[in-house]
Amino acid sequence: MSRSVRTRPEGSGQALSEAYDTALLDLDGVVYAGGNAIEHAVPSLAVARDGGMRLAYVTNNALRTPDAVAAHLTELGIPAEAGDVITSAQAVARLIADQVPQGSRVLVVGGEGLRVALRERGLEPVESADDEPVAVVQGYGGPELAWGRFAEASYAVARGLPWFASNTDLTIPSGRGIAPGNGAAVEVVRIATGAEPQVAGKPLPPMHRETILRTGAERPLVVGDRLDTDIEGAFNGGVDSLLVLTGVTDGAQLLAAPPQHRPTYVDADLRGLLTGQPEVVGDGGAFRCGGWTAAAGAGRLELDGDGAPVDGLRALCAAAWTAAGDERCGLDAGKALARLGL
């Protein structure tokens, strides 16, 4: 499916919670980090929900079951049920079930979320390469996952079994900073075997398929903090997206984003669901948003004005994304971003 090159973030005259029927929300870095709610997340989601927007929680983290995720959200003050949660474990379990006979044994390297999702699809999770599995699945197992689990997966994959991964996020946000994610663990098995897994999670089609099947969303808005999973997944699925700056993506990464990583909207946090999004207006070779004007030239991005920092970032994105060819990736944005505190 072809996509036009995005040259600037779009505007919305309506609050996003009114313009879209369902928010497909990433969790880590968007709703919570390290188990604690991110600032403004709980009240913002309450207002969006009370206004009629459906909230669905779509996560590449395969560690916990939907029941556990829903219980955690409810404890944080965000009422949720298991049916509101879609995980990469569910997506990869469907992918495996489409390729192996009902009742097949699958070697699991990961957490309880994977085991529950496999059983939901009529598959039997096992722990050893000697338990006669017909496939191997790998998902995030948390910081306590034993090194021997990677060896077990490697033995099975080296014997020629098909290998599946819930997702390949290299990092995951935590309350203490950025930690290794399932993608880092997948690399261990890849290095040991030379094999390549089939991957289900964002940004790939199996996750989008699982999400639409389970939510029935007609006008979905993907809300995430990662360009290479959340935003690219929205791009691949042909739906709009909102990037929030509460997780792993910073201003410099956003400015250098290629077309498939450019969000429809950008905001500081989940309060962005509750407002219209200001239009970024071209003005000659410059771009205006809020009280800011940005332009690209002489190998750098120039910013003038004042107002909300995120408006300045939107203007900078328009300038950077419009810059021709390789110049876009080489633009010096340091001074402009420092002025915005980003």
Side-chain angles (χ1 to χ4, degrees), residues 58-108:
V58 184
T59 178
N60 262 2
N61 190 331
L63 177 60
R64 295 190 294 173
T65 66
D67 281 317
V69 173
H72 180 207
L73 289 168
T74 301
E75 289 174 0
L76 294 177
I78 305 169
E81 299 178 354
D84 299 323
V85 180
I86 302 93
T87 73
S88 63
Q90 294 170 324
V92 78
R94 190 186 296 270
L95 186 62
I96 297 169
D98 287 344
Q99 299 180 40
V100 305
Q102 182 86 357
S104 293
R105 294 181 174 188
V106 179
L107 173 60
V108 175

Side-chain angles (χ1 to χ4, degrees), residues 11-202:
S12 174
Q14 290 179 286
L16 298 184
S17 59
E18 299 171 358
Y20 299 89
D21 69 342
T22 306
L24 306 180
L25 294 135
D26 184 44
L27 288 171
D28 293 299
V30 175
V31 178
Y32 54 62
N36 297 315
I38 288 173
E39 188 176 10
H40 307 299
V42 174
S44 296
L45 293 175
V47 173
R49 182 181 59 249
D50 291 346
M53 186 180 219
R54 180 178 179 187
L55 306 180
Y57 303 95
V58 184
T59 178
N60 262 2
N61 190 331
L63 177 60
R64 295 190 294 173
T65 66
D67 281 317
V69 173
H72 180 207
L73 289 168
T74 301
E75 289 174 0
L76 294 177
I78 305 169
E81 299 178 354
D84 299 323
V85 180
I86 302 93
T87 73
S88 63
Q90 294 170 324
V92 78
R94 190 186 296 270
L95 186 62
I96 297 169
D98 287 344
Q99 299 180 40
V100 305
Q102 182 86 357
S104 293
R105 294 181 174 188
V106 179
L107 173 60
V108 175
V109 179
E112 186 63 15
L114 273 178
R115 295 177 178 84
V116 168
L118 288 170
R119 293 189 190 103
E120 184 184 51
R121 291 286 155 210
L123 302 171
E124 181 183 349
V126 297
E127 301 301 316
S128 170
D130 298 331
D131 288 335
E132 300 182 348
V134 301
V136 181
V137 64
Q138 191 171 356
Y140 183 66
E144 305 306 319
L145 186 67
W147 187 257
R149 303 305 300 151
F150 304 138
E152 210 63 46
S154 298
Y155 302 147
V157 172
R159 294 172 187 173
L161 269 63
W163 176 30
F164 298 83
S166 64
N167 67 297
T168 52
D169 299 34
L170 291 173
T171 60
I172 186 169
S174 78
R176 297 176 60 193
I178 303 300
N182 190 55
V186 166
E187 284 301 309
V188 173
V189 178
R190 192 199 310 269
I191 291 168
T193 64
E196 291 289 334
Q198 296 183 53
V199 183
K202 297 179 284 187

Side-chain angles (χ1 to χ4, degrees), residues 182-255:
N182 190 55
V186 166
E187 284 301 309
V188 173
V189 178
R190 192 199 310 269
I191 291 168
T193 64
E196 291 289 334
Q198 296 183 53
V199 183
K202 297 179 284 187
L204 297 172
M207 189 65 171
H208 182 72
R209 174 192 177 204
E210 192 72 22
T211 299
I212 297 303
L213 285 173
R214 289 180 180 267
T215 65
E218 296 182 359
R219 300 189 318 280
L221 177 70
V222 170
V223 185
D225 69 308
R226 297 186 71 104
L227 301 178
D228 60 349
T229 56
D230 305 315
I231 305 308
E232 185 176 341
F235 178 90
N236 290 339
V239 300
D240 289 345
S241 60
L242 167 66
L243 177 78
V244 291
L245 302 174
T246 49
V248 301
T249 300
D250 61 23
Q253 292 167 327
L254 178 59
L255 296 185

Side-chain angles (χ1 to χ4, degrees), residues 261-296:
H261 289 172
R262 296 174 186 171
T264 314
Y265 311 105
V266 181
D267 221 311
D269 51 55
L270 284 177
R271 289 176 294 180
L273 284 174
L274 309 180
T275 64
Q277 293 288 311
E279 185 179 5
V280 181
V281 180
D283 184 8
F287 297 88
R288 293 184 289 104
C289 185
W292 299 94
T293 299

